[in-house]
Amino acid sequence: MASRKIRKIAVANEKGGVGKTATIVNLGAALVLRGSNVLIVDMDPQFNATQGVGISLDDIPLSVYDLIQDASSIAAKDVVLHTRWEGLDLLPSVPDLAGSEVELVDAVGRENRLREGLADLDGHYDFILLDTPPSLSLLTVNVFAYADEVLIPCQTHPYAFGALNELFDTIGAIRRGINTHLKTTGVVATFYDRRTRVSNHTLERLKSDERYGPLLFDTVIRSNTTVAESAHEGKPVVFYRPSSFGARDYIQLAEELVG
């Protein structure tokens, strides 16, 4: 049987607080609802995506930190954890991951540690979604070296809009120097509140911008407190409260992503 084609998508933004981890967790769960097998790879030492699918540090015998430190003797399949939802798996993070920045600084091929560690997962998933730290770091470079696509959440706020240019420049540099296959799949507007002038103005700037407009998803993730509540419960919003705006928005985003 031929192995399935995996879509390897980094969800990235060098600015924090834009809904990056919420997008990872809830988009992944929405794709599972469509019948896909999804792996979330948490490459952020804050391990919010890990907690977002109900996994605590006590549940983690091995993490992505162990994998990138010793991919030659640790297989990714032995690090992957199954969540309580069939079809949604996790490669968990731990706070120790922050130390890998220093520990790998002189290692040969340090930017490809994640790619080497995940090589044995080919054919097991339809989507691999990779969370990144809110900064350009060796961990982010490892994610970009492995991924084929980048999905960019952008909060509908002027500061988030202003940070996009630097991120696009970073992706371009990675494409030229490390991963020629990397492409930007799209920008998704997050925390949108149609009642505020700031949200509406920022969304219009995204739509009209020559660089970002053609990449902007039609789906807009509305500001919704249920998404934060579901994160606190360690449960994706599509399972926590399926009728909420948050759940409906992420389901629509999944449909648009799949096409």
Side-chain angles (χ1 to χ4, degrees), residues 11-13 18-21 23 151-155 164 186-190:
V11 179
N13 196 312
V18 299
K20 176 175 57 63
T21 299
T23 298
L151 175 64
I152 303 170
C154 180
Q155 181 186 10
L164 284 179
V187 177
V188 57
T190 59

Side-chain angles (χ1 to χ4, degrees), residues 10 12 132 139-147 150 167 170-171 174 179 182:
T132 56
L139 297 175
T140 305
V141 171
N142 263 262
V143 170
F144 285 164
Y146 171 74
V150 184
L167 176 59
T170 296
I171 294 169
I174 295 291
N179 181 0
L182 188 66

